[in-house]
Protein backbone atom coordinates (compact mmCIF):
# COMPACT_ATOMS: atom_id res chain seq x y z
CA UNK A 1 0.00 0.00 0.00
CA UNK A 2 2.85 2.39 0.71
CA UNK A 3 4.16 2.01 -2.83
CA UNK A 4 0.84 3.21 -4.27
CA UNK A 5 0.82 6.26 -2.01
CA UNK A 6 4.39 7.10 -2.97
CA UNK A 7 3.51 6.72 -6.64
CA UNK A 8 0.50 9.03 -6.30
CA UNK A 9 2.48 11.58 -4.27
CA UNK A 10 5.30 11.65 -6.83
CA UNK A 11 2.79 11.90 -9.69
CA UNK A 12 0.95 14.76 -7.98
CA UNK A 13 4.22 16.57 -7.28
CA UNK A 14 5.30 16.22 -10.93
CA UNK A 15 1.90 17.40 -12.19
CA UNK A 16 2.09 20.46 -9.94
CA UNK A 17 5.66 21.28 -10.98
CA UNK A 18 4.77 21.00 -14.67
CA UNK A 19 1.55 22.98 -14.20
CA UNK A 20 3.22 25.80 -12.27
CA UNK A 21 6.11 25.94 -14.75
CA UNK A 22 3.61 26.14 -17.62
CA UNK A 23 2.17 29.33 -16.11
CA UNK A 24 5.47 31.08 -16.72
CA UNK A 25 6.42 29.34 -19.98
CA UNK A 26 3.13 29.17 -21.91
CA UNK A 27 2.22 31.70 -24.57
CA UNK A 28 -0.73 34.01 -23.99
CA UNK A 29 -1.75 33.81 -27.64
CA UNK A 30 -4.39 31.26 -28.69
CA UNK A 31 -2.75 28.11 -29.98
CA UNK A 32 -3.54 26.15 -33.10
CA UNK A 33 -5.79 23.71 -31.23
CA UNK A 34 -7.95 26.50 -29.81
CA UNK A 35 -8.08 28.23 -33.19
CA UNK A 36 -9.06 24.97 -34.91
CA UNK A 37 -11.79 24.33 -32.34
CA UNK A 38 -13.26 27.76 -33.01
CA UNK A 39 -13.18 27.09 -36.77
CA UNK A 40 -14.82 23.65 -36.43
CA UNK A 41 -17.58 25.13 -34.25
CA UNK A 42 -18.24 27.79 -36.92
CA UNK A 43 -17.24 30.53 -34.47
CA UNK A 44 -14.36 31.64 -36.68
CA UNK A 45 -13.63 31.71 -40.37
CA UNK A 46 -10.24 31.12 -41.93
CA UNK A 47 -10.31 34.66 -43.26
CA UNK A 48 -11.66 37.79 -41.64
CA UNK A 49 -12.11 38.74 -37.99
CA UNK A 50 -12.22 36.18 -35.23
CA UNK A 51 -13.56 36.05 -31.65
CA UNK A 52 -10.02 36.72 -30.43
CA UNK A 53 -10.17 40.09 -32.21
CA UNK A 54 -13.19 41.07 -30.15
CA UNK A 55 -15.60 41.04 -33.08
CA UNK A 56 -19.02 40.01 -31.69
CA UNK A 57 -20.31 39.09 -35.16
CA UNK A 58 -17.43 36.63 -35.65
CA UNK A 59 -18.70 34.41 -32.83
CA UNK A 60 -21.69 33.32 -34.89
CA UNK A 61 -23.78 31.47 -32.28
CA UNK A 62 -26.68 33.73 -31.46
CA UNK A 63 -28.95 32.46 -28.71
CA UNK A 64 -26.70 29.47 -28.04
CA UNK A 65 -25.76 28.08 -24.69
CA UNK A 66 -23.27 30.25 -22.85
CA UNK A 67 -21.67 29.83 -19.47
CA UNK A 68 -19.00 31.56 -17.45
CA UNK A 69 -16.02 29.37 -16.68
CA UNK A 70 -15.00 29.46 -13.00
CA UNK A 71 -11.37 30.10 -13.93
CA UNK A 72 -11.30 31.19 -17.60
CA UNK A 73 -7.97 30.60 -19.30
CA UNK A 74 -6.55 29.28 -16.00
CA UNK A 75 -6.73 32.69 -14.31
CA UNK A 76 -8.51 34.21 -11.36
CA UNK A 77 -8.98 37.59 -13.00
CA UNK A 78 -6.58 40.14 -14.41
CA UNK A 79 -5.85 41.68 -11.01
CA UNK A 80 -4.49 38.38 -9.59
CA UNK A 81 -1.76 38.09 -12.25
CA UNK A 82 0.60 35.13 -12.22
CA UNK A 83 -0.31 34.29 -8.61
CA UNK A 84 -3.91 33.75 -9.69
CA UNK A 85 -2.78 31.54 -12.56
CA UNK A 86 -0.68 29.41 -10.21
CA UNK A 87 -3.62 29.07 -7.79
CA UNK A 88 -5.93 28.10 -10.66
CA UNK A 89 -3.51 25.42 -11.91
CA UNK A 90 -2.96 23.99 -8.42
CA UNK A 91 -6.71 24.00 -7.67
CA UNK A 92 -7.51 22.36 -11.02
CA UNK A 93 -4.86 19.67 -10.55
CA UNK A 94 -6.07 18.81 -7.06
CA UNK A 95 -9.72 18.87 -8.16
CA UNK A 96 -8.92 16.49 -11.04
CA UNK A 97 -7.13 14.15 -8.61
CA UNK A 98 -10.14 14.16 -6.24
CA UNK A 99 -12.55 13.44 -9.10
CA UNK A 100 -10.41 10.56 -10.40
CA UNK A 101 -10.09 8.99 -6.97
CA UNK A 102 -13.83 9.43 -6.34
CA UNK A 103 -14.76 7.73 -9.61
CA UNK A 104 -12.20 5.00 -8.89
CA UNK A 105 -13.74 4.31 -5.50
CA UNK A 106 -17.25 4.20 -6.98
CA UNK A 107 -16.16 1.73 -9.65
CA UNK A 108 -14.32 -0.41 -7.11
CA UNK A 109 -17.33 -0.38 -4.77
CA UNK A 110 -19.70 -1.40 -7.58
CA UNK A 111 -17.55 -4.45 -8.38
CA UNK A 112 -17.88 -5.84 -4.86
Amino acid sequence: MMETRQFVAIGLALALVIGVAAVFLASGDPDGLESTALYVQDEKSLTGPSPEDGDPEAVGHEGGMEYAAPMPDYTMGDEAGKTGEVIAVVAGTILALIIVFGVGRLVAASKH
Side-chain angles (χ1 to χ4, degrees):
M1 186 68 171
M2 191 60 172
E3 292 176 15
T4 302
R5 287 185 182 196
Q6 286 177 339
F7 180 76
V8 170
I10 291 170
L12 179 60
L14 283 173
L16 290 173
V17 166
I18 292 169
V20 170
V23 168
F24 299 100
L25 299 174
S27 171
D29 297 326
D31 62 3
L33 181 60
E34 185 176 352
S35 179
T36 301
L38 290 171
Y39 174 72
V40 168
Q41 297 170 358
D42 289 330
E43 295 180 11
K44 172 184 173 180
S45 65
L46 290 177
T47 60
S50 68
E52 294 95 357
D53 298 330
D55 182 3
E57 292 180 10
V59 176
H61 59 79
E62 296 175 17
M65 185 184 91
E66 292 187 22
Y67 65 93
M71 292 182 273
D73 290 330
Y74 304 105
T75 65
M76 296 185 73
D78 292 334
E79 62 277 350
K82 292 291 182 188
T83 303
E85 292 179 32
V86 169
I87 292 170
V89 166
V90 170
T93 302
I94 292 172
L95 182 62
L97 180 72
I98 290 170
I99 291 170
V100 167
F101 272 109
V103 170
R105 284 187 182 258
L106 288 173
V107 169
S110 71
K111 288 185 178 183
H112 288 138

